[in-house]
């Protein structure tokens, strides 16, 4: 098929009213060899040459259009607002625009609700840019035009130290200096006093030459992830009965405590500690085992590991460490160090199914066990239902686990007997994540339970890696910061202009048509008419561009939205946090999960159509009464700042939440349930 016929083919597809997908692309462009479509990614292409675009969705990285850290719109957008993710195609050199290539991009818009004028306003912002160091532009404030510079995240790196400079707006007319924040390892701009220059130089010296810890060794900032799996041959101190051991992990002032295992000299804990490391932190992690008792708990032994040993070994996996200051005993640990910039980096997702068990140990004389399974990955815990009076229970419990660089290397499955008081353990087994990542899938695998007389667990698991094209970190250039000896004075009017530009970017940014880079080169931004648009995707000719984003000058257009429930698994009886997120792919959900708030998705997305940027009242029904939990507002870019909290007092004995969304102008606009993975614990409420 000649590229000249592609426009007509897309027009025919659009007239049929079918949505673009991989099969539609294959059927209608079967003669085009070079084509691809990734629905999860939200990107596809067809090309008549050998160019294969390597696409990336920019979640937080720098780009020509928006700053998602601050919610600031770049002036090159000329008042257009985003209605899709930002897509970047890896730079292909001078020949990247040879031939004809069409790009397929997912958008957020609900096309059937758009008027003819609104549909005509849909454009694709596109530009060609090799790198992004900074963009100069003019912003319009109350006191006239102020020239600004859109500063991009950089990295200061020397001698194994990294520090991040915040994205912010800085006046080009002002002289800039910087101060170092030890708490956040970030450089932020502050007004300085007259004697600040020498202090600044000293602070910068600490940045590039970090302090040593008590042992004289400098530690790279990051996080140590340590799991104590179990202990063996714990000392018996009492005259009657066995010990009730628990373990305490300590790193400086940070502390993690396991649960207590009753009457056992070979306890299994699978407790994980996440310890923040700074360059002047202590170098040792201490493990101390105690016997829980009335009054003072006796110590049953102590052990230490040095972080430098973890760094040299890369990581420890299932390492036995002998306990000291006791007659016997050892603990089994795994440990690794994660650099600061990699802590939240996504590795992939594991879908687990606990099908059933057989020949579960019978510990009671009069009846069989009431077994359930507790699944643990670090602080992320999930519990199956309880099956009463059965040695061969069936659960068919499915759960999804997000795997990051900071995740432990093992997933543990612990079977318990549900009972009044402490639940007795009926055995445990672990799944090695590295092994699963290599195999990709394990189906209907029987695993022998350990630390029990009998029992097996039937498990299935699938690992889905985070695609390389999924997101891009800021394209950071390694540099050493040069310190300027000038003093800055913040003007109130300019601060106010910056604040307004962050809240209402489209109303204060002066329109310009080019982004001017510090290297003197000028690149025009285009607002291209798509040749095709359905309710999920638009198609645009690539030409020489490598940055793309769907946009419109109209505010508050109707968009496809998912209401997504999250909770904090580490918190008992966590409330449900409901976020309104633009629909499409996994990127927006992943952004919330990796926000550092400890949230995990706890239910299914509920789709609806809302107008972008408009507030909606969130109502729910509890015990026959309607409660207003607050307002929700869906933004198409910037940080997530809108959600409601479904608290314990609203819980009902069901696995869904009843929702009504209404606006001041139109009244109720959506009504329906948000389904949860598990039934709500009403007793806790």
């Amino acid at each position: 098929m000649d590229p000249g016929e592609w426009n007509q083919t897309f027009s025919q597809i659009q007239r049929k009213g079918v949505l673009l997908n991989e099969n539609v692309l294959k059927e209608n462009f079967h003669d085009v060899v070079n084509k691809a479509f990734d629905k999860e990614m939200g990107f596809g292409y067809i090309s008549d040459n050998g160019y294969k675009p390597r696409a990336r969705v920019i979640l937080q990285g720098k780009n020509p259009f928006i700053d998602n850290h601050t919610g600031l719109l770049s002036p090159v957008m000329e008042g257009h607002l985003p209605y899709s993710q930002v897509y970047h195609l890896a730079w292909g050199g001078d020949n990247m625009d040879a031939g004809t290539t069409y790009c397929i991009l997912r958008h957020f818009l609900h096309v059937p609700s758009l008027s003819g004028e609104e549909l005509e306003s849909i454009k694709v912002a596109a530009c060609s840019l090799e790198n992004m160091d900074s963009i100069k532009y003019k912003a319009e404030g109350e006191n006239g035009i102020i020239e600004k510079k859109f500063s991009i995240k950089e990295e200061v790196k020397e001698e194994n130290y990294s520090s991040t400079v915040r994205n912010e707006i800085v006046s080009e007319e002002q002289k800039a200096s910087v101060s170092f924040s030890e708490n956040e390892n970030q450089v932020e701009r502050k007004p300085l006093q007259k004697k600040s220059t020498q202090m600044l130089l000293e602070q910068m010296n600490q940045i590039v030459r970090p302090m040593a810890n008590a042992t004289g060794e400098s530690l790279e900032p990051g996080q140590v992830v340590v799991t104590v799996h179990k202990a063996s041959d714990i000392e018996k101190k009492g005259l009657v009965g066995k010990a009730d051991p628990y373990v305490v992990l300590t790193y400086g002032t940070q502390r993690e405590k396991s649960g207590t295992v009753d009457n056992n000299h070979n306890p299994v804990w699978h407790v994980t500690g996440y310890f923040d490391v700074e360059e002047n932190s202590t170098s040792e992690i201490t493990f101390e085992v105690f016997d829980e008792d009335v009054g003072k708990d006796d110590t049953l032994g102590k052990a230490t590991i040095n972080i430098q040993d973890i760094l040299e070994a890369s990581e420890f996996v299932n390492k036995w460490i002998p306990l000291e200051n006791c007659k016997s005993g050892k603990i089994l640990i795994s440990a690794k160090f994660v650099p600061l910039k990699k802590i939240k980096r996504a590795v992939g997702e594991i879908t687990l199914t606990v099908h059933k068990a057989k020949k579960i140990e019978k510990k009671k004389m009069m009846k069989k066990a009431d077994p359930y399974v507790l699944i643990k990955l670090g602080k992320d815990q999930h519990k199956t239902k309880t099956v009463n009076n059965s040695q061969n229970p069936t659960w068919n419990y499915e759960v999804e686990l997000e795997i990051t660089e900071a995740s432990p290397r093992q997933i543990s499955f612990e079977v318990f007997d549900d009972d009044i008081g402490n639940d007795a353990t009926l055995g445990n087994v672990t799944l090695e994540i590295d092994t699963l990542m290599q195999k990709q899938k394990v189906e209907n695998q029987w695993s022998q339970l350990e630390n029990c007389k009998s029992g097996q667990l039937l498990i299935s698991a699938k690992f889905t890696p985070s695609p390389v094209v999924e997101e891009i970190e800021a394209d950071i250039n390694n540099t050493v910061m040069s310190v300027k000896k000038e003093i800055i004075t913040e003007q109130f009017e300019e601060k106010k202009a910056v604040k307004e530009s962050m809240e209402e970017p489209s109303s204060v940014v002066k329109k310009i048509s080019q982004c001017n880079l510090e290297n003197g080169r000028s690149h025009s931004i285009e607002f291209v008419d798509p040749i095709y648009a359905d309710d999920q995707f638009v198609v645009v000719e690539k030409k020489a561009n490598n940055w793309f984003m769907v946009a419109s000058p109209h505010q508050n257009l109707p968009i496809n939205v998912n209401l997504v429930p999250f909770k904090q698994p580490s918190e008992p009886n966590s409330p449900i946090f409901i976020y309104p997120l633009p629909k499409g792919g996994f990127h927006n959900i992943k952004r919330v999960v990796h926000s550092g708030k400890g949230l995990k998705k706890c239910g299914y997305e509920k789709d609806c159509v809302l107008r972008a940027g408009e507030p909606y009242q969130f109502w729910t029904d509890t015990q026959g009464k309607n409660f207003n939990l607050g307002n929700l507002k869906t933004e198409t870019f910037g940080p997530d700042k809108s959600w409601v909290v479904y608290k314990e007092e609203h819980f009902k004995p069901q696995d869904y939440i009843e929702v009504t969304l209404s606006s001041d102008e139109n009244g109720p606009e959506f009504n329906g349930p948000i389904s949860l993975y598990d039934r709500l614990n009403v007793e806790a409420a």
Side-chain angles (χ1 to χ4, degrees):
M1 180 186 296
D2 187 86
E5 303 175 42
W6 292 358
N7 285 30
Q8 182 180 354
T9 303
F10 276 114
S11 296
Q12 292 172 352
I13 296 172
Q14 189 163 356
R15 284 195 296 270
K16 292 177 182 177
V18 298
L19 297 177
L20 271 183
N21 57 41
E22 188 175 6
N23 291 331
V24 171
L25 202 65
K26 287 180 179 178
E27 290 172 4
N28 290 272
F29 296 92
H30 54 84
D31 292 335
V32 181
V33 176
N34 188 15
K35 59 182 178 291
F37 188 90
D38 187 336
K39 184 177 179 180
E40 285 299 311
M41 171 66 180
F43 178 83
Y45 73 90
I46 59 173
S47 180
D48 69 342
N49 59 23
Y51 174 60
K52 296 181 182 295
R54 290 187 291 113
R56 298 168 178 173
V57 167
I58 310 301
L59 294 182
Q60 300 294 336
K62 52 191 176 182
N63 64 84
F65 309 127
I66 55 177
D67 179 359
N68 273 320
H69 290 281
T70 61
L72 185 68
L73 191 68
S74 170
V76 298
M77 290 299 294
E78 300 185 359
H80 287 70
L81 297 177
Y83 285 100
S84 79
Q85 305 279 13
V86 176
Y87 292 88
H88 174 247
L89 308 187
W91 187 257
D94 296 335
N95 296 323
M96 67 180 297
D97 56 341
T100 302
T101 299
Y102 281 8
C103 293
I104 304 168
L105 313 170
R106 179 188 280 125
H107 61 78
F108 304 143
L109 293 159
H110 187 250
V111 172
S113 299
L114 298 179
S115 66
E117 180 189 357
E118 291 171 335
L119 192 57
E120 287 292 325
S121 75
I122 303 305
K123 309 293 181 184
V124 176
C127 74
S128 173
L129 211 58
E130 296 180 52
N131 58 68
M132 289 200 53
D133 296 325
S134 64
I135 302 174
K136 296 179 181 178
Y137 65 91
K138 294 180 179 180
E140 196 169 14
E142 290 183 352
N143 297 325
I145 296 174
I146 307 167
E147 187 171 316
K148 300 287 182 180
K149 182 172 72 175
F150 187 78
S151 299
I152 306 300
K153 184 184 286 186
E154 298 173 352
E155 184 180 52
V156 179
K157 188 170 184 182
E158 180 177 287
E159 297 184 359
N160 297 323
Y161 182 84
S162 62
S163 176
T164 303
V165 180
R166 277 200 192 107
N167 291 2
E168 55 187 347
I169 300 297
V170 184
S171 171
E172 185 68 9
E173 297 174 346
Q174 294 171 331
K175 308 287 186 170
S177 64
V178 293
S179 65
F180 178 64
S181 169
E182 292 184 352
N183 293 331
E184 297 180 348
N185 291 337
Q186 291 178 322
V187 178
E188 55 185 9
R189 301 183 183 272
K190 294 182 180 179
L192 300 179
Q193 304 300 322
K194 292 183 178 180
K195 296 183 180 180
S196 63
T197 303
Q198 182 59 37
M199 293 174 59
L200 177 60
L201 292 172
E202 293 174 358
Q203 290 167 342
M204 291 306 301
N205 186 53
Q206 290 297 330
I207 291 178
V208 297
R209 281 168 172 61
M211 292 182 293
N213 57 22
T215 65
E217 299 168 313
S218 295
L219 296 174
E220 179 183 358
Q223 193 174 73
V224 171
V225 183
V226 185
T227 300
V228 182
H229 302 289
K230 58 185 177 180
S232 176
D233 195 24
I234 292 292
E235 179 181 355
K236 182 179 182 298
K237 281 196 170 182
L239 295 176
V240 179
K242 299 178 181 178
D244 301 323
Y246 64 89
V247 62
V248 176
L249 294 69
T250 306
Y251 180 66
T253 59
Q254 303 172 68
R255 186 173 181 268
E256 187 71 39
K257 179 185 175 183
S258 75
T260 299
V261 178
D262 292 338
N263 201 31
N264 199 317
H265 286 175
N266 300 288
V268 176
W269 296 297
H270 290 300
V271 58
T272 300
Y274 297 84
F275 300 125
D276 296 328
V277 178
E278 298 176 356
E279 65 271 14
N280 59 338
S281 297
T282 180
S283 59
E284 287 190 341
I285 298 175
T286 301
F287 309 87
E288 192 161 9
V289 181
F290 293 91
D291 180 9
E292 188 175 87
D293 206 345
V294 178
K296 185 178 179 181
D297 297 344
D298 292 329
T299 179
L300 298 176
K302 185 177 181 180
T304 60
I305 59 171
N306 193 298
I307 291 180
Q308 292 290 356
D309 293 337
I310 301 175
L311 293 174
E312 291 174 7
S314 179
E315 65 177 305
F316 296 153
V317 179
N318 295 334
K319 180 182 177 68
W320 283 106
I321 299 180
L323 294 172
E324 300 175 349
N325 303 322
C326 58
K327 293 180 180 179
S328 65
K330 56 184 178 180
I331 56 175
L332 183 68
I333 73 164
S334 293
K336 64 179 178 179
F337 175 81
V338 184
L340 189 63
K341 61 184 179 182
K342 292 185 178 181
I343 290 174
K344 295 181 181 179
R345 181 177 296 175
V347 174
E349 184 177 82
I350 292 178
T351 302
L352 283 175
T353 303
V354 180
H355 300 288
K356 57 185 177 180
K358 63 182 179 181
K359 298 181 180 179
I360 292 291
E361 180 180 354
K362 184 175 180 292
K363 287 194 171 183
K364 299 175 182 176
M365 295 292 294
M366 302 299 295
K367 66 185 291 287
K368 299 175 183 177
D370 302 325
Y372 66 87
V373 181
L374 185 65
I375 305 165
K376 295 170 67 174
L377 176 66
K379 294 186 180 297
D380 196 0
Q381 299 188 16
H382 301 269
K383 179 184 174 183
T384 71
K385 65 182 180 181
T386 298
V387 178
N388 293 326
N389 197 32
S390 176
Q391 285 182 275
N392 301 287
T394 297
W395 297 286
N396 288 323
Y397 179 80
E398 183 175 305
V399 65
E400 293 180 350
L401 302 174
E402 294 282 345
I403 308 300
T404 67
E405 290 285 352
S407 296
R409 293 303 189 200
Q410 293 178 326
I411 301 170
S412 67
F413 304 83
E414 300 175 70
V415 184
F416 290 92
D417 183 5
D418 199 345
D419 205 348
I420 299 173
N422 292 333
D423 297 342
T425 179
L426 299 175
N428 56 81
V429 67
T430 58
L431 176 65
E432 296 288 341
I433 293 178
D434 286 346
T435 302
L436 179 60
M437 289 170 63
Q438 293 172 3
K439 293 182 177 180
Q440 297 287 302
K441 183 185 292 186
V442 173
E443 290 187 310
N444 297 324
Q445 175 178 289
W446 283 105
S447 299
Q448 188 70 41
L449 293 173
E450 301 174 354
N451 303 303
C452 58
K453 293 180 179 179
S454 66
Q456 290 181 294
L457 200 61
L458 185 64
I459 301 169
S460 292
K462 178 184 177 182
F463 174 74
T464 305
S466 295
V468 177
V469 294
E470 166 198 341
E471 65 178 279
I472 183 173
E473 297 180 1
D475 186 14
I476 299 170
N477 296 320
N478 292 336
T479 182
V480 177
M481 183 177 293
S482 60
V483 181
K484 298 182 179 181
K485 297 183 179 180
E486 291 85 8
I487 300 173
I488 66 170
T489 305
E490 297 280 3
Q491 297 296 329
F492 172 77
E493 293 81 7
E494 296 186 27
K495 280 186 176 180
K496 190 172 182 180
V498 170
K499 181 178 179 182
E500 290 179 352
S501 69
M502 293 174 67
E503 294 175 350
E504 300 291 342
S506 61
S507 63
V508 300
V509 175
K510 182 176 177 63
K511 293 183 179 181
I512 62 173
S513 61
Q514 294 181 330
C515 60
N516 299 310
L517 302 183
E518 288 185 339
N519 60 13
R521 296 182 62 183
S522 179
H523 295 262
S524 297
I525 188 170
E526 301 179 80
F527 290 95
V528 184
D529 290 315
I531 65 167
Y532 170 93
D534 64 24
D535 201 29
Q536 293 186 21
F537 297 95
V538 298
V539 178
V540 66
E541 187 173 357
K542 181 192 169 301
K543 297 183 178 178
N545 298 307
N546 66 327
W547 291 92
F548 300 93
M549 184 179 71
V550 179
S552 169
H554 286 279
Q555 299 186 28
N556 310 125
L557 290 180
I559 61 173
N560 296 298
V561 175
N562 278 333
L563 302 177
V564 187
F566 298 88
K567 69 177 181 180
Q568 296 170 306
S570 60
E571 296 294 328
N573 308 317
S574 167
I576 309 297
F577 301 84
I578 301 172
Y579 280 70
L581 302 176
K583 183 179 179 181
F586 50 82
H587 302 97
N588 291 312
I589 293 175
K590 186 175 291 293
R591 186 178 65 241
V592 175
V593 171
H594 292 220
S595 65
K597 300 175 183 176
L599 296 175
K600 297 291 183 183
K601 188 163 166 279
C602 65
Y604 302 93
E605 300 101 297
K606 182 65 178 180
D607 61 303
C608 57
V609 178
L610 304 175
R611 288 194 171 269
E614 286 193 0
Y616 291 83
Q617 297 176 24
F618 187 104
W619 295 85
T620 188
D621 176 78
T622 300
Q623 298 177 353
K625 297 181 180 179
N626 286 324
F627 290 89
N628 187 344
L629 302 188
N631 287 345
L632 286 182
K633 186 165 66 173
T634 308
E635 303 289 359
T636 58
F637 73 107
D640 295 299
K641 296 185 291 186
S642 179
W643 63 85
V644 296
V645 182
Y646 187 77
K647 298 181 180 179
E648 294 178 37
E649 55 261 34
H650 302 124
F651 284 9
K652 297 169 70 174
Q654 57 196 26
D655 59 356
Y656 62 91
I657 299 172
E658 296 167 351
V659 178
T660 298
L661 298 180
S662 64
S663 65
D664 293 336
E665 184 176 347
N666 300 318
E669 295 197 20
F670 168 79
N671 183 272
I674 299 176
S675 297
L676 305 175
Y677 294 148
D678 299 311
R679 185 183 177 93
L680 291 169
N681 184 2
V682 177
E683 294 181 1

